Amino acid sequence: MIDLHSHILPGLDDGSPSLAESLEMARLAVADGTTHMACTPHIMPGMYENGSANIIRAVRGLDQALRRAAIPLALYVGADIHVAPDLPEQLALGSVPTLNRSRYFLFEPPHHVLPPRLEDLVLRLINAGFIPILTHPERLTWIKANYDVVERLNAAGCLIQLTADSIVGAFGRTALYYSEKLIDEGRVDIIASDTHGATRRRPGLSQAVAAAAKRCGEDEARNMVLKRPGQILANRPLEPVGKAHAKKPSPGNVGRFAGLGRLFKGGTA
């Protein structure tokens, strides 16, 4: 399986605090069936001042440590990128990393407040040739009052990533409810661990895949942790599965969303 969201790099954010912890996280992931993992520390101005250069160095260092420890886990560069007005420019400059230098990147809105002009930012990102992967919308506290925003982001071209622990109820009833709702509506593209440690928020995808399979079937559940993550790392064109189910924009918004589908027909660098 391929895990596209992890905080396994030591000392870069609120994830692994040490190399020893990172190695144990890797062992747990491999034991659960994960073979490839994107290293995606937070990038949050004012709190986690990470960028492409230091993340690449950290991935190389951890990769060398994995080889010495004979842990068969392939690592990829990425980041868990928080909302910022200049994000399209930062991605274009390469100062913040996409997933394995693809057009795809993890996009994390604030957990407790729906930011203004979020949809406009997403459209700017897509028009610039980047594809946001909306991380764990089921855990956002504003989803209940603003589920239509998630629907519109999905319709605009955002991929949807659920946290594995949400699907098995570890984040509580609300996150479980919206995980199941998104799966049942056919909106979920990816399941990822969002692991932060070897004892809390441990790595592992297999239990979530089994739970998802009961709702969407085994083939589709496997697509969420194998086929689509592989396509993302290979930078292949990938249209959100939820676009077929997403609500059409209201008449007042048709102009804002018109023509976005053609962006997925050709690749970007």
Side-chain angles (χ1 to χ4, degrees):
M1 294 181 288
I2 302 171
D3 190 350
L4 289 185
H5 190 163
S6 77
H7 297 267
I8 194 172
L9 295 178
L12 293 194
D13 60 5
D14 60 342
S16 171
S18 66
L19 178 59
E21 180 100 355
S22 298
L23 292 176
E24 183 59 22
M25 291 167 70
R27 291 188 185 97
L28 291 169
V30 170
D32 189 67
T34 297
T35 56
H36 300 70
M37 179 176 283
C39 304
T40 56
H42 291 290
I43 294 180
M44 182 187 294
M47 183 171 290
Y48 302 114
E49 299 286 356
N50 293 309
S52 293
N54 76 307
I55 293 172
I56 290 170
R57 286 195 300 270
V59 171
R60 288 174 177 167
L62 181 56
D63 181 65
Q64 292 172 359
L66 291 177
R67 292 173 185 271
R68 289 193 297 269
I71 301 173
L73 182 65
L75 301 181
Y76 297 86
V77 171
D80 192 9
I81 306 174
H82 291 247
V83 169
D86 64 345
L87 184 51
E89 292 76 19
Q90 293 298 316
L91 287 166
L93 289 170
S95 55
V96 297
T98 59
L99 290 165
N100 197 35
R101 301 181 66 181
S102 70
R103 76 196 78 182
Y104 303 95
F105 70 98
L106 298 187
F107 182 62
E108 183 171 18
H111 278 241
H112 302 298
V113 178
L114 174 62
R117 303 184 67 82
L118 177 63
E119 293 171 66
D120 290 337
L121 175 60
V122 165
L123 289 175
R124 287 174 54 213
L125 288 161
I126 292 173
N127 285 328
F130 299 102
I131 308 301
I133 301 173
L134 184 65
T135 60
H136 46 67
E138 79 284 357
R139 289 164 46 200
L140 301 174
T141 59
W142 50 262
I143 190 173
K144 183 176 181 180
N146 299 279
Y147 189 77
D148 59 319
V149 174
V150 175
E151 291 177 319
R152 290 197 298 272
L153 293 176
N154 196 206
C158 273
L159 302 179
I160 300 292
Q161 175 247 301
L162 297 185
T163 300
D165 277 352
S166 296
I167 302 170
V168 298
F171 277 102
R173 289 183 295 178
T174 300
L176 175 61
Y177 169 80
Y178 282 105
S179 294
E180 293 178 342
K181 178 177 175 64
L182 288 161
I183 291 171
D184 291 348
E185 291 179 355
R187 297 184 184 277
V188 178
D189 299 281
I190 300 155
I191 296 171
S193 72
D194 192 8
T195 180
H196 277 63
T199 56
R200 67 178 186 95
R201 297 175 65 175
R202 292 157 52 103
L205 300 171
S206 62
Q207 291 184 11
V209 170
K214 294 177 181 178
R215 309 192 75 88
C216 64
E218 291 185 7
D219 288 346
E220 177 57 18
R222 294 288 295 178
N223 286 342
M224 296 173 185
V225 296
L226 191 59
K227 180 180 178 180
R228 292 192 199 101
Q231 290 173 314
I232 287 167
L233 292 177
N235 198 29
R236 294 175 184 158
L238 181 62
E239 186 169 277
V241 294
K243 287 195 76 174
H245 307 279
K247 289 182 178 179
K248 294 181 180 179
S250 63
N253 287 331
V254 168
R256 295 172 59 199
F257 290 93
L260 287 175
R262 65 176 177 270
L263 292 173
F264 298 95
K265 294 181 180 178
T268 60

